[in-house]
Amino acid sequence: METWPVKRDIRRSTTAVATLLLTALPMPLLADHATPEEIHVTGEQSTNKLPLEIEPANIPVVDTSALLKRVPGANVNSNGPITGIAQYRGLYGDRVSIHIDHAPTLTGGPNAMDAPLTYTPPLLLKSLKVDRGIAPVSAAQESLGGHMTATLDRGEFGSSDEFEFSGALSSRFNDNSDGSSSALKSTLTNQHHKLSALYSHDEGNETRIDSDDEIGGTQYRRGRYDISYGWQNESSRIEIYTGELDTRDTGTPSLPMDINYIDGDTVGTNVSTTIGEMVLSGHLSYNHVDHLMDNFSQRTAPASLMSYRANNASAHNTAWSLQARWPMANGFLTVGSDGNETVHTATITNPNNAMFEVANFNDAERDTYGIFTEWEGDIGEWHVQTGARINRVKMDSESVGASGMMGMMAMNANMLATAFNNGDLDEDFTYLDLALNLSRPLNETTTLNMGLGRKNRAPSYQERYLWLPLAATGGLADGRNYIGNLDLDEETAHEITLGFDWQNGAAWVTPQVFYRRIDDYIQGVPSTNATANMLSTMMSGQAALMFDNVDAKMYGADMGYGYTLTETLRLEGNLSYVRGKRRDESDDLYRVAPLNNRLALIYEQHAVMLSLESVLYAKQNKVSDFNAEEKTSGYGIINLAGSYRLTRQLTFSGGVENLFDNRYQDHLAGYNRNADSDIAVGDRLTGPGRNIYLAATLHW
């Protein structure tokens, strides 16, 4: 993508960049952070970017999604140690678009155990970027809940014809779970060629709440491998990559099963070339996932052998995009097309009963094709980004069925399968997305930002094709059984955002308010299907919920802020608030983050960095009665961190999270479903206790 230089202070160029950098504990020395410098704007308006290439080993998280807690407006629904589902301004799951290296991600499991950011371990990240507010239509096909991009650190091209070998070795130890993380990044490069290899391994035991209690089912083991080759000349660039994710024996205590294994394979390419004043760019990728989960190998097995369950899921997708960008009318016009074809299959079995088999999903297809156009440039004092996109989503499924059940359960399952197979499985959705982002300077210290958008999302394959009442719901983790709905309409959101970036001397702040009205919002409602309710009651003691269209609204505010106290001492923080409500009934939306604030006091001089961070969450009593969501109390924790750059190549760091070992409940953590825990089944999971960590990174 073509870029153009803009003179700005780095803290105003991308909203709350400094907040993201400096509250990611701990961080090494940054170069002259408070000094204005030349940066490159790549077309994203009001973007939050977390450039982790500085020292990724020093950020004490195993799940990349946990980094989102440091982004204004963002958070994470955690169902396990590496099963975090991204949330942005109250929306989560399939509503939030996530790309890895410019390609849309694939979640193989029906309960999102392999949530998208699972595929990008923190030690291998180059950047994690969140488009603040209304995402451009060129960024993603469906971005009703926002757009995020994770980029792996595959190195940079060299500056001469001579080949150079560079890389980094990182290692980190976490005391709380006796966990360790390590990564190796190596690159052989000159100005035309770049060969890169990446490897990481994360492993840990159960998370400790305090000296006596543990959260059962929070062990994890994950490996990630990646090889890539890049070539460039003065006008063109191509990168080809392939990678594998290998997850084994990992717990998900908020879900009815744990991860036996996840094998994910990825291959793709990104290309760009310049022809005159036009830049052509595109990507092509293929992903395949095999995923086995069960309810007996990593938690107390069911009392009855007939209740043992294993779910073998597989999925694959092919995604591509092609776009052209050229100067037009004091700006740039972009025209493009993209597609993403996905297929999901999941089969439930019982190892104690060879006859038992349920086609949970059978070649459930969801193919999305889009065309878009976007213009970005200046009109007078206004910087304008506006675009339109037309998407067509085609969905279909093969016939389903169940065998090996007995009595009334078998009869009810067969009735549901017959009704599903005779239904209208083949469905198309066509809709229009619009986005307009505006900004203009009001004076030397203040820039006004505005946004208007219309975004749509077709139903997920779970929401349409979950024919048997089960908890395979994309990670909702509310403990209820759901069935799908073949009559669902697409969600349509109309959103407005308003904010400003202000900086005056040593202080800066970037507040933004938003209002989002969602028509045909998809959530569970009481099922009127007597057969499904009877079967669900037999299995769980509760009637089923059915995905249906309701009306909703969300509103709130978030901001990054900071203040430079002295040349070596500064404050950095971010604040987020969101409220989600139904418009058709008097109820709140499920699993919405409460008011929260992070504030760090950072000392930095020469090779030393020290940080004292406060994390505060308010109580959440605006909960979904419909989902029987429990209220949570507010809490606060203190984190300490420090780093020392011994040489230009070697950095040591360490810190303490939850310094005072406070016991608290994260509202976005799920409810415990693992009996091998010091938390009662059905209670909300408790946050981790005190964690001491040490890290080292060696560059060459």
Side-chain angles (χ1 to χ4, degrees):
M1 181 180 290
E2 186 173 329
T3 62
W4 62 96
V6 180
K7 279 284 188 178
R8 292 181 180 174
D9 186 291
I10 190 171
R11 293 177 297 181
R12 292 176 56 196
S13 62
T14 54
T15 304
V17 170
T19 303
L20 304 179
L21 276 169
L22 298 170
T23 59
L25 299 177
M27 277 296 192
L29 184 66
L30 299 179
D32 201 10
H33 171 77
T35 302
E37 63 177 63
E38 183 174 303
I39 64 165
H40 287 91
V41 179
T42 57
E44 297 90 355
Q45 286 294 304
S46 297
T47 299
N48 293 304
K49 187 173 182 180
L50 184 59
L52 303 176
E53 73 272 13
I54 299 175
E55 289 292 356
N58 296 334
I59 303 175
V61 297
V62 177
D63 186 355
T64 292
S65 65
L67 295 171
L68 295 173
K69 294 183 177 183
R70 306 178 186 279
V71 178
N75 220 296
V76 56
N77 298 2
S78 179
N79 290 332
I82 56 174
T83 302
I85 298 174
Q87 179 172 140
Y88 185 65
R89 290 181 171 174
L91 294 178
Y92 49 85
D94 292 335
R95 296 182 178 94
V96 179
S97 165
I98 299 178
H99 285 186
I100 298 175
D101 293 320
H102 308 292
T105 53
L106 174 70
T107 296
N111 236 334
M113 291 181 181
D114 61 330
L117 292 177
T118 297
Y119 291 84
T120 58
L123 295 188
L124 298 183
L125 270 181
K126 178 180 181 180
S127 65
L128 176 61
K129 183 181 67 178
V130 178
D131 290 322
R132 192 176 189 195
I134 300 169
V137 296
S138 61
Q141 291 181 321
E142 294 179 296
S143 57
L144 184 145
H147 177 64
M148 305 174 181
T149 300
T151 304
L152 294 179
D153 187 5
R154 298 192 176 99
E156 305 294 337
F157 284 95
S159 58
S160 69
D161 288 332
E162 297 294 326
F163 278 95
E164 297 181 355
F165 181 65
S166 61
L169 176 64
S170 303
S171 183
R172 186 182 64 231
F173 173 76
N174 297 303
D175 168 73
N176 182 282
S177 63
D178 297 324
S180 63
S181 297
S182 57
L184 176 64
K185 300 181 288 187
S186 58
T187 304
L188 181 65
T189 180
N190 68 7
Q191 63 178 342
H192 297 298
H193 302 275
K194 178 167 66 74
L195 181 64
S196 173
L198 305 177
Y199 163 79
S200 73
H201 180 79
D202 303 287
E203 186 169 357
N205 298 320
E206 279 80 4
T207 298
R208 286 190 286 272
I209 303 170
D210 51 37
S211 59
D212 298 319
D213 296 336
E214 293 182 346
I215 305 174
T218 50
Q219 72 285 350
Y220 58 92
R221 183 157 63 93
R222 175 183 60 188
R224 180 69 163 86
Y225 319 90
D226 186 276
I227 297 175
S228 64
Y229 168 74
W231 174 87
Q232 70 171 7
N233 61 15
E234 293 181 353
S235 61
S236 303
R237 176 179 293 193
I238 182 171
E239 184 172 53
I240 302 170
Y241 59 86
T242 181
E244 179 181 357
L245 178 78
D246 179 18
T247 302
R248 292 282 187 273
D249 302 327
T250 296
T252 53
S254 296
L255 301 175
M257 294 184 179
D258 298 305
I259 299 168
N260 191 298
Y261 64 77
I262 300 171
D263 289 333
D265 298 309
T266 300
V267 61
T269 181
N270 296 304
V271 298
S272 65
T273 187
T274 302
I275 304 174
E277 292 187 317
M278 178 184 295
V279 177
L280 292 174
S281 60
H283 86 265
L284 174 65
S285 64
Y286 174 79
N287 299 277
H288 183 272
V289 179
D290 281 323
H291 177 19
L292 178 64
M293 63 208 91
D294 65 53
N295 69 346
F296 53 85
S297 64
Q298 297 176 73
R299 62 179 68 187
T300 297
S304 170
L305 294 178
M306 293 299 99
S307 297
Y308 279 54
R309 295 290 183 267
N311 193 338
N312 195 341
S314 65
H316 60 84
N317 82 318
T318 302
W320 68 89
S321 71
L322 181 64
Q323 63 183 44
R325 185 172 187 261
W326 64 90
M328 177 177 286
N330 209 29
F332 292 90
L333 180 68
T334 301
V335 177
S337 178
D338 46 28
N340 185 18
E341 299 179 345
T342 66
V343 179
H344 288 83
T345 295
T347 303
I348 302 173
T349 59
N350 183 339
N352 304 303
N353 181 0
M355 300 295 294
F356 183 89
E357 184 174 290
V358 176
N360 188 189
F361 299 99
N362 187 15
D363 285 347
E365 298 182 29
R366 191 181 191 275
D367 304 331
T368 308
Y369 309 97
I371 57 173
F372 59 88
T373 182
E374 190 171 82
W375 182 82
E376 181 171 7
D378 296 321
I379 300 177
E381 292 188 341
W382 288 94
H383 185 78
V384 180
Q385 182 193 74
T386 183
R389 164 185 282 277
I390 297 176
N391 279 344
R392 185 169 181 83
V393 180
K394 299 174 64 66
M395 300 187 69
D396 201 357
S397 172
E398 295 296 324
S399 298
V400 299
S403 62
M405 295 183 182
M406 303 295 290
M408 288 294 295
M409 186 171 289
M411 184 180 70
N412 289 329
N414 289 333
M415 291 175 61
L416 291 174
T418 299
F420 177 87
N421 294 334
N422 292 333
D424 189 6
L425 303 181
D426 186 359
E427 184 65 84
D428 295 347
F429 303 85
T430 302
Y431 47 80
L432 173 68
D433 280 5
L434 301 169
L436 172 65
N437 288 295
L438 305 168
S439 65
R440 63 161 295 173
L442 299 179
N443 51 49
E444 292 184 353
T445 62
T446 308
T447 299
L448 176 68
N449 301 307
M450 302 173 60
L452 294 170
R454 168 193 166 97
K455 295 293 182 74
N456 298 268
R457 181 190 73 102
S460 68
Y461 76 95
Q462 297 101 321
E463 290 164 344
R464 287 203 82 227
Y465 298 135
L466 183 57
W467 64 276
L468 192 69
L470 295 171
T473 57
L476 282 180
D478 63 351
R480 298 293 299 273
N481 287 334
Y482 284 70
I483 59 169
N485 185 349
L486 297 178
D487 296 323
L488 287 172
D489 294 323
E490 71 269 16
E491 299 176 331
T492 301
H494 295 88
E495 184 172 357
I496 182 171
T497 64
L498 180 64
F500 61 88
D501 298 339
W502 175 84
Q503 181 175 356
N504 187 2
W508 63 277
V509 63
T510 62
Q512 193 172 106
V513 297
F514 69 93
Y515 179 86
R516 182 191 296 125
R517 176 189 174 98
I518 308 177
D519 297 326
D520 295 318
Y521 181 81
I522 299 173
Q523 75 161 42
V525 302
S527 170
T528 58
N529 186 321
T531 304
N533 288 338
M534 184 181 300
L535 188 57
S536 178
T537 302
M538 291 179 184
M539 294 188 294
S540 68
Q542 290 182 296
L545 302 179
M546 180 182 71
F547 288 112
D548 204 357
N549 295 113
V550 301
D551 293 324
K553 63 181 178 182
M554 311 193 85
Y555 55 88
D558 45 64
M559 67 177 183
Y561 60 92
Y563 184 76
T564 300
L565 300 169
T566 69
E567 291 184 357
T568 59
L569 197 63
R570 61 186 175 275
L571 291 168
E572 303 283 354
N574 65 75
L575 176 72
S576 301
Y577 172 75
V578 62
R579 177 77 187 278
K581 302 177 66 176
R582 285 183 61 171
R583 298 184 356 247
D584 53 345
E585 291 189 8
S586 179
D587 197 10
D588 296 291
L589 298 183
Y590 172 65
R591 217 170 183 181
V592 174
L595 172 69
N596 62 88
N597 182 74
R598 283 178 176 263
L599 177 62
L601 176 65
I602 300 115
Y603 170 83
E604 189 174 357
Q605 186 174 31
H606 304 301
V608 176
M609 191 283 298
L610 299 173
S611 175
L612 171 66
E613 182 187 48
S614 165
V615 179
L616 298 174
Y617 274 75
K619 66 180 180 181
Q620 180 59 289
N621 54 15
K622 305 295 190 298
V623 295
S624 172
D625 292 334
F626 177 77
N627 292 89
E629 186 178 19
E630 294 181 1
K631 299 177 182 180
T632 50
S633 302
Y635 68 89
I637 61 174
I638 297 294
N639 302 320
L640 294 178
S643 68
Y644 178 68
R645 190 183 297 276
L646 183 63
T647 69
R648 292 184 62 86
Q649 291 76 35
L650 183 61
T651 300
F652 293 101
S653 61
V656 184
E657 295 181 293
N658 193 0
L659 176 65
F660 298 110
D661 206 20
N662 290 343
R663 190 156 181 153
Y664 65 94
Q665 291 179 329
D666 181 347
H667 186 76
L668 298 185
Y671 303 94
N672 182 43
R673 301 189 68 174
N674 188 324
D676 300 324
S677 180
D678 294 313
I679 300 173
V681 172
D683 286 356
R684 190 182 298 276
L685 292 171
T686 303
R690 183 186 295 115
N691 178 41
I692 301 172
Y693 63 93
L694 299 172
T697 299
L698 176 66
H699 293 276
W700 62 84

